[in-house]
Amino acid sequence: MELRHIRYFVALGEELNFTRAAERLHIAQPPLSQQIRQLEDELGVTLLQRNSRPVRLTEAGVLFLARARALLASFEDAVADTRRVGRGQAGKLALGFVGSAMFAGLPDIVGAYRDACPDVELVLDEMLAAEIAEALRRRRIDVGFARPALLPEAGLAQRVILEEPYVAALPRTHPLAARRSVALAELSDDAFVLYPARPEPSVTGLIVAACSAAGFTPRLAQEVLHLQTAIGLIAAGVGVSLVPEAAARAQTGRGVAYIPLANPTVMAPLTIAWREEDVSPAVQRLLEIAARWRDISAL
């Protein structure tokens, strides 16, 4: 039994006339009659009362017509769904992201992607940059938004979508909190609230390198996993830190002063990363949207 047999029978069962059914199917009437005979022979039952005018369905024919309609509808849905997945308009996409990406880039990109592909299920998971690399390798995520950039690795691709400066995050009671800018070296006596330095890459690596260039090694006050925890500890006077400018703009009024760094500035690159071999339409569509956002934000 082939799919065309099902289509032919449904057309005939709905028209109850061989001539009209053949016209609807754009075939001649004799081949239609032959195909229906083949279907009845394979099923071992009579589906039509041909000696009546109009043609009538037998009891078996009525049952088979209902099931055949449902089968065709299910098949057409499967074809449509498969085409949507093939165009990147349906399916599932898993994203890993660093927390600071939520303040610049990620919300706009995810929003644009949802508008373009509303039937794609997005699964988002916050993680550190090193965890993003591992999740990509193990195929737990499809795309990552990392800060800092991932270490170069065969099989992984990435591109920078945003470069923004770090600013100093100080308790409002800090002696430098009222300054319009602060040199990084002026924080050499302060303890820092930092992310874990291992595994690499880590934002802490960027901060330590910048402090070393300014002539000191930052002293650790507390290690944290999330930006919100760092902000809370800074407000409590536990220490100071550096945070991306966009995150600072979103965190005003929490007992923390955000002061621009005097030259040389320290930059916070945000990258989008994926597996080089992954040419799935869903991933490629997200990369296109991220590239478009990068170009617009750079204007």
Side-chain angles (χ1 to χ4, degrees):
M1 186 184 304
E2 299 180 18
L3 187 62
R4 72 171 183 276
H5 293 117
I6 306 297
R7 287 200 177 103
Y8 289 177
F9 178 73
V10 168
L12 182 56
E14 291 177 348
E15 297 293 343
L16 296 178
N17 182 285
F18 277 93
T19 300
R20 289 197 302 270
E23 290 173 350
R24 171 173 158 182
L25 294 166
H26 305 292
I27 62 173
Q29 183 175 332
L32 173 60
S33 298
Q34 183 181 20
Q35 294 294 321
I36 298 300
R37 285 290 186 191
Q38 290 178 0
L39 176 62
E40 289 178 317
D41 290 344
E42 186 164 348
L43 291 173
V45 298
T46 300
L47 299 174
L48 301 166
Q49 296 177 359
R50 291 171 173 79
N51 57 359
S52 63
R53 293 291 183 272
V55 173
R56 292 182 181 177
L57 296 173
T58 65
E59 185 177 357
V62 172
L63 173 64
F64 192 72
L65 177 61
R67 299 292 176 85
R69 279 171 166 164
L71 179 63
L72 281 183
S74 178
F75 175 77
E76 289 166 0
D77 287 345
V79 169
D81 290 345
T82 300
R83 287 172 174 163
R84 283 199 298 272
V85 170
R87 292 192 294 262
Q89 297 174 329
K92 183 176 180 179
L93 195 64
L95 308 180
F97 65 95
V98 294
S100 62
M102 273 298 181
F103 299 102
L106 186 59
D108 293 337
I109 292 170
V110 168
Y113 189 84
R114 286 192 182 279
D115 290 342
C117 307
D119 292 329
V120 175
E121 178 188 358
L122 288 180
V123 180
L124 287 87
D125 190 4
E126 183 178 354
M127 53 185 68
L128 300 176
E131 294 173 328
I132 287 174
E134 178 69 10
L136 284 169
R137 283 192 295 269
R138 295 186 176 275
R139 300 179 180 276
R140 292 199 300 266
I141 63 172
D142 302 299
V143 177
F145 292 83
R147 174 178 281 149
L150 303 183
L151 299 176
E153 180 178 334
L156 296 185
Q158 62 183 323
R159 69 168 68 111
V160 175
I161 59 173
L162 176 66
E163 285 266 17
E164 62 175 327
Y166 279 107
V167 299
L170 314 176
R172 288 201 177 275
T173 56
H174 195 282
L176 302 177
R179 294 270 294 274
R180 300 188 65 174
S181 67
V182 60
L184 188 53
E186 294 181 274
L187 303 179
S188 60
D189 292 333
D190 287 284
F192 276 68
V193 177
L194 298 172
Y195 296 101
R198 295 287 187 275
E200 294 183 330
S202 167
V203 165
T204 295
L206 290 178
I207 296 175
V208 169
C211 291
S212 296
F216 72 100
T217 299
R219 177 167 51 90
L220 180 65
Q222 181 67 46
E223 194 173 83
V224 297
L225 294 178
H226 301 288
L227 177 65
Q228 299 295 335
T229 305
I231 297 302
L233 292 176
I234 294 167
V238 172
V240 303
S241 194
L242 303 184
V243 301
E245 185 178 58
R249 287 197 301 267
Q251 298 292 323
T252 58
R254 292 192 57 193
V256 178
Y258 299 99
I259 314 298
L261 292 175
N263 288 329
T265 56
V266 182
M267 301 305 292
L270 178 67
T271 69
I272 185 170
W274 67 99
R275 289 181 296 277
E276 283 184 334
E277 66 178 23
D278 195 341
V279 295
S280 69
V283 168
Q284 296 304 313
R285 189 66 180 276
L286 182 67
L287 295 178
E288 292 170 4
I289 289 173
R292 189 160 58 245
W293 180 86
R294 176 198 60 199
D295 294 340
I296 292 173
S297 64
L299 296 178

